[in-house]
Amino acid sequence: MASPGALEPATGSVPGTKVELTVSCRNLLDMDTFSKSDPVVVLFVQGSGSSEWKEFGRTEVIDNTLNPDFVRKFVLDYYFEEKQNLRFDVYNVDSKSCSILKQDFLGQAFVALGEVIGSQRGRLERALTGVPGKRCGTILLLAEELSNCRDIVTMQLCANKLDKKDFFGKSDPFLVFYRSNEDGTFTICHKTEVVKNTLNPVWQPFTIPVRALCNGDYDRYGDGDKDIAGFGHLLGTVKIDVYDWDRDGSHDFIGEFATSYRELSRAQSQFTVYEVLNPRKKCKKKKYVNSGTVTLLSFSVESEFTFVDYIRGGTQLNFTVAIDFTASNGMPSHPTSLHYASPYQLSAYALALKAVGEIIQDYDSDKLFPAYGFGAKIPPDGKISHQFPLNNNMDNPSCAGIEGVLESYLQSLRTVQLYGPTNFAPVINQVAGTAAQVTDGSQYHVLLIITDGVISDMLQTKEAIVTASALPMSIIIVGVGPAEFEAMEELDGDEVRVSSRGRYAERDIVQFVPFRDYVDDSGNQVLSMARLAKDVLAEIPEQLLSYMKTRDIKPRRADPQ
């Protein structure tokens, strides 16, 4: 331990760059009886100095193939000075369950991010292992540094007179986009939807970051080498293949064409028509003209703004706290109570409040935080309230700083009677009412609810969340104590969007975490708070951006002073 006043070296690292990993697999195990496997790759990362593996993300599932080329990328911060261990687990998705443990395991590979970046051309092939007595195939990884380009492209394409590939019908066409790399190889970057039974498809408009389409290099051309996944070797920044979809995954190749970002961008003023060519047909048939045409109907570019852009432009984060005062927490004076604060240790409620509040307060200029309690009988008449101000001031429930919130919370514990039930809707509606008053992007509200138990007003809470999802606000729920929190997981719309009476939430605005997952075994409260804050606040920037984007709100120009 450092002596008092001694300076300890900084432990944080500044990422050198962002790296995008593209994943393909070859010769996977076939686990399905009547078709091929439906693979997905799950990436796990290992924290610096830790042996624990945490899920980072998943690719999409590709049906009926043993040789998948995944479109969904993994974007990682790359730290030159750290060994960043990665684990890739491959599964065959054979169940509708979101739990990966209920799927068929196809193998895994362990690599360090530095290994991929340091390998020739940033490409690494590694054997999959983990299924005894079986050859599991290989995983192919491509690492590319992302450019700082933040433009987003929206485009729409259609096709005309494509080749007929289906015996009993027409074709079921879809497009696959590849960007060229500096060494002339190609990396898959987008797939359109399939349009069924037509030779003249019109695909839906789609958006894609310019850096994904051409890594921000508008005129980059390759030298024509073949890439790791066996794709063709057309010159050009963007190569587009046209396929006829087949249920068994053996999609028929119709043809291909090449273009560049610069050429695509000209469609802003005129339609651009491309001939779809099939090299094999061209060689075999003297009178071959083409396999149809693809027309770029529209192409537009707009800048992608970041969370920092909005904060610099003056957007304020307004932090509101709601604390559970129901009787299930236990008498605050008893050591077993979740509200009990010993002379040596803060309660779980106080820890969660400090962990989240001390970060959010940096983005709030006045440092005044409305703070409420719910589920208690309050003086003087003992009425049950689900949104009473902790400072006992109905006209102005704001507390000065996080310390002021803590002080009012401890004072309330001495004056109210813990009771019940556990109702969230009143305080959510309270904050939503405030958020609805200013919707121009200058204010964004974050409600922190700290609770110990099962929610009593689920239907009303869902209705409140659906309404709030259209407003500039997010909700963080921290569950304290040993209870099961299945209902809270339902409100966290990561997998299934919250709905009420046929209405779905416009955005995912709820993040739930159980506090017990962040309690450090050594009793280090500072570490527990840091880990909790990192996870519960991780989704706030994206949720703020989703609100701004759906309302077409651009950041204000930062004050030059």
Side-chain angles (χ1 to χ4, degrees), residues 28 38 87 95-96 104 150 180 184 194 240 286 356 415 441 460 500 520:
L28 294 176
D38 305 325
R87 188 182 97 211
S95 158
K96 292 183 178 179
D104 300 322
R150 291 181 358 213
S180 69
V194 176
I240 302 168
K286 290 184 179 179
V356 178
T415 59
Q460 294 89 336
S500 173
D520 185 66

mmCIF file of all heavy atoms in Angstrom, residues 28 38 87 95-96 104 150 180 184 194 240 286 356 415 441 460 500 520:
data_model
loop_
_atom_site.group_PDB
_atom_site.id
_atom_site.type_symbol
_atom_site.label_atom_id
_atom_site.label_comp_id
_atom_site.label_asym_id
_atom_site.label_seq_id
_atom_site.Cartn_x
_atom_site.Cartn_y
_atom_site.Cartn_z
ATOM 1 N N LEU A 28 -16.697 -26.170 -40.344
ATOM 2 C CA LEU A 28 -17.243 -26.378 -39.009
ATOM 3 C C LEU A 28 -17.890 -27.759 -38.887
ATOM 4 O O LEU A 28 -18.252 -28.391 -39.893
ATOM 5 C CB LEU A 28 -18.295 -25.308 -38.700
ATOM 6 C CG LEU A 28 -17.802 -23.867 -38.575
ATOM 7 C CD1 LEU A 28 -18.985 -22.918 -38.368
ATOM 8 C CD2 LEU A 28 -16.816 -23.729 -37.423
ATOM 9 N N ASP A 38 -26.143 -24.001 -38.072
ATOM 10 C CA ASP A 38 -26.524 -22.588 -38.110
ATOM 11 C C ASP A 38 -25.600 -21.845 -37.143
ATOM 12 O O ASP A 38 -25.958 -21.598 -35.984
ATOM 13 C CB ASP A 38 -27.983 -22.394 -37.688
ATOM 14 C CG ASP A 38 -28.948 -23.250 -38.517
ATOM 15 O OD1 ASP A 38 -28.668 -23.432 -39.710
ATOM 16 O OD2 ASP A 38 -29.955 -23.719 -37.965
ATOM 17 N N ARG A 87 -11.318 -14.801 -26.579
ATOM 18 C CA ARG A 87 -11.782 -16.186 -26.755
ATOM 19 C C ARG A 87 -12.988 -16.177 -27.679
ATOM 20 O O ARG A 87 -13.955 -15.437 -27.446
ATOM 21 C CB ARG A 87 -12.176 -16.797 -25.407
ATOM 22 C CG ARG A 87 -12.492 -18.285 -25.473
ATOM 23 C CD ARG A 87 -12.929 -18.806 -24.114
ATOM 24 N NE ARG A 87 -14.377 -18.870 -23.985
ATOM 25 C CZ ARG A 87 -15.046 -18.705 -22.853
ATOM 26 N NH1 ARG A 87 -14.403 -18.418 -21.735
ATOM 27 N NH2 ARG A 87 -16.356 -18.805 -22.829
ATOM 28 N N SER A 95 -31.878 -23.732 -30.921
ATOM 29 C CA SER A 95 -32.968 -23.475 -29.980
ATOM 30 C C SER A 95 -33.287 -21.994 -30.021
ATOM 31 O O SER A 95 -32.433 -21.166 -30.330
ATOM 32 C CB SER A 95 -32.534 -23.892 -28.564
ATOM 33 O OG SER A 95 -33.290 -23.233 -27.590
ATOM 34 N N LYS A 96 -34.535 -21.634 -29.712
ATOM 35 C CA LYS A 96 -34.932 -20.231 -29.690
ATOM 36 C C LYS A 96 -34.457 -19.519 -28.430
ATOM 37 O O LYS A 96 -34.600 -18.314 -28.305
ATOM 38 C CB LYS A 96 -36.457 -20.116 -29.810
ATOM 39 C CG LYS A 96 -36.990 -20.539 -31.183
ATOM 40 C CD LYS A 96 -38.490 -20.338 -31.274
ATOM 41 C CE LYS A 96 -39.007 -20.727 -32.658
ATOM 42 N NZ LYS A 96 -40.477 -20.562 -32.776
ATOM 43 N N ASP A 104 -25.613 -25.919 -29.398
ATOM 44 C CA ASP A 104 -24.570 -26.935 -29.605
ATOM 45 C C ASP A 104 -23.208 -26.263 -29.732
ATOM 46 O O ASP A 104 -23.008 -25.383 -30.584
ATOM 47 C CB ASP A 104 -24.852 -27.741 -30.884
ATOM 48 C CG ASP A 104 -26.191 -28.466 -30.819
ATOM 49 O OD1 ASP A 104 -26.522 -28.955 -29.734
ATOM 50 O OD2 ASP A 104 -26.884 -28.538 -31.852
ATOM 51 N N ARG A 150 -16.726 9.716 -39.719
ATOM 52 C CA ARG A 150 -17.961 9.484 -38.990
ATOM 53 C C ARG A 150 -19.180 9.710 -39.874
ATOM 54 O O ARG A 150 -20.283 9.912 -39.378
ATOM 55 C CB ARG A 150 -18.028 10.391 -37.761
ATOM 56 C CG ARG A 150 -17.010 9.978 -36.733
ATOM 57 C CD ARG A 150 -16.990 10.765 -35.467
ATOM 58 N NE ARG A 150 -17.887 11.861 -35.322
ATOM 59 C CZ ARG A 150 -17.578 12.961 -34.636
ATOM 60 N NH1 ARG A 150 -16.386 13.077 -34.086
ATOM 61 N NH2 ARG A 150 -18.446 13.927 -34.499
ATOM 62 N N SER A 180 -12.713 -3.221 -50.348
ATOM 63 C CA SER A 180 -11.357 -3.684 -50.658
ATOM 64 C C SER A 180 -10.410 -3.251 -49.545
ATOM 65 O O SER A 180 -10.605 -2.216 -48.905
ATOM 66 C CB SER A 180 -10.887 -3.120 -51.996
ATOM 67 O OG SER A 180 -10.682 -1.726 -51.881
ATOM 68 N N GLY A 184 -5.474 -5.483 -51.523
ATOM 69 C CA GLY A 184 -6.231 -5.971 -52.667
ATOM 70 C C GLY A 184 -7.256 -7.026 -52.354
ATOM 71 O O GLY A 184 -7.976 -7.466 -53.242
ATOM 72 N N VAL A 194 -33.467 -10.500 -48.464
ATOM 73 C CA VAL A 194 -33.847 -11.289 -49.641
ATOM 74 C C VAL A 194 -35.213 -10.814 -50.123
ATOM 75 O O VAL A 194 -36.141 -10.638 -49.324
ATOM 76 C CB VAL A 194 -33.903 -12.794 -49.292
ATOM 77 C CG1 VAL A 194 -34.384 -13.601 -50.495
ATOM 78 C CG2 VAL A 194 -32.548 -13.291 -48.812
ATOM 79 N N ILE A 240 -19.752 -5.761 -55.264
ATOM 80 C CA ILE A 240 -21.104 -6.185 -54.919
ATOM 81 C C ILE A 240 -21.444 -7.452 -55.675
ATOM 82 O O ILE A 240 -21.376 -7.491 -56.911
ATOM 83 C CB ILE A 240 -22.132 -5.073 -55.237
ATOM 84 C CG1 ILE A 240 -21.756 -3.791 -54.468
ATOM 85 C CG2 ILE A 240 -23.548 -5.521 -54.879
ATOM 86 C CD1 ILE A 240 -22.505 -2.559 -54.890
ATOM 87 N N LYS A 286 -20.561 -16.749 -76.244
ATOM 88 C CA LYS A 286 -20.077 -15.643 -77.076
ATOM 89 C C LYS A 286 -21.067 -14.476 -77.106
ATOM 90 O O LYS A 286 -20.661 -13.315 -77.195
ATOM 91 C CB LYS A 286 -19.832 -16.131 -78.502
ATOM 92 C CG LYS A 286 -18.637 -17.067 -78.624
ATOM 93 C CD LYS A 286 -18.395 -17.443 -80.070
ATOM 94 C CE LYS A 286 -17.164 -18.362 -80.193
ATOM 95 N NZ LYS A 286 -16.926 -18.754 -81.601
ATOM 96 N N VAL A 356 -22.886 5.671 -9.241
ATOM 97 C CA VAL A 356 -23.476 6.229 -10.458
ATOM 98 C C VAL A 356 -23.482 7.756 -10.409
ATOM 99 O O VAL A 356 -23.113 8.436 -11.369
ATOM 100 C CB VAL A 356 -24.908 5.687 -10.654
ATOM 101 C CG1 VAL A 356 -25.544 6.294 -11.902
ATOM 102 C CG2 VAL A 356 -24.891 4.166 -10.761
ATOM 103 N N THR A 415 -37.048 9.219 9.664
ATOM 104 C CA THR A 415 -38.343 9.891 9.847
ATOM 105 C C THR A 415 -39.524 9.152 9.218
ATOM 106 O O THR A 415 -40.676 9.406 9.612
ATOM 107 C CB THR A 415 -38.300 11.318 9.273
ATOM 108 O OG1 THR A 415 -37.971 11.251 7.883
ATOM 109 C CG2 THR A 415 -37.276 12.167 10.010
ATOM 110 N N GLY A 441 -33.323 18.616 -27.160
ATOM 111 C CA GLY A 441 -31.968 18.064 -27.107
ATOM 112 C C GLY A 441 -31.044 18.768 -26.144
ATOM 113 O O GLY A 441 -29.918 18.321 -25.937
ATOM 114 N N GLN A 460 -48.420 -1.109 -14.949
ATOM 115 C CA GLN A 460 -48.320 0.356 -14.968
ATOM 116 C C GLN A 460 -46.906 0.818 -15.280
ATOM 117 O O GLN A 460 -46.706 1.834 -15.965
ATOM 118 C CB GLN A 460 -48.771 0.924 -13.613
ATOM 119 C CG GLN A 460 -50.237 0.705 -13.299
ATOM 120 C CD GLN A 460 -50.495 -0.613 -12.570
ATOM 121 O OE1 GLN A 460 -49.702 -1.550 -12.670
ATOM 122 N NE2 GLN A 460 -51.603 -0.672 -11.843
ATOM 123 N N SER A 500 -46.662 -2.419 -24.028
ATOM 124 C CA SER A 500 -47.818 -2.267 -23.155
ATOM 125 C C SER A 500 -49.051 -1.996 -24.008
ATOM 126 O O SER A 500 -49.049 -1.071 -24.820
ATOM 127 C CB SER A 500 -47.600 -1.100 -22.181
ATOM 128 O OG SER A 500 -48.774 -0.845 -21.438
ATOM 129 N N ASP A 520 -16.987 -6.715 -4.576
ATOM 130 C CA ASP A 520 -15.626 -7.255 -4.655
ATOM 131 C C ASP A 520 -15.379 -8.211 -3.487
ATOM 132 O O ASP A 520 -15.707 -7.911 -2.332
ATOM 133 C CB ASP A 520 -14.613 -6.100 -4.618
ATOM 134 C CG ASP A 520 -13.189 -6.588 -4.815
ATOM 135 O OD1 ASP A 520 -12.877 -7.081 -5.909
ATOM 136 O OD2 ASP A 520 -12.412 -6.480 -3.849
#
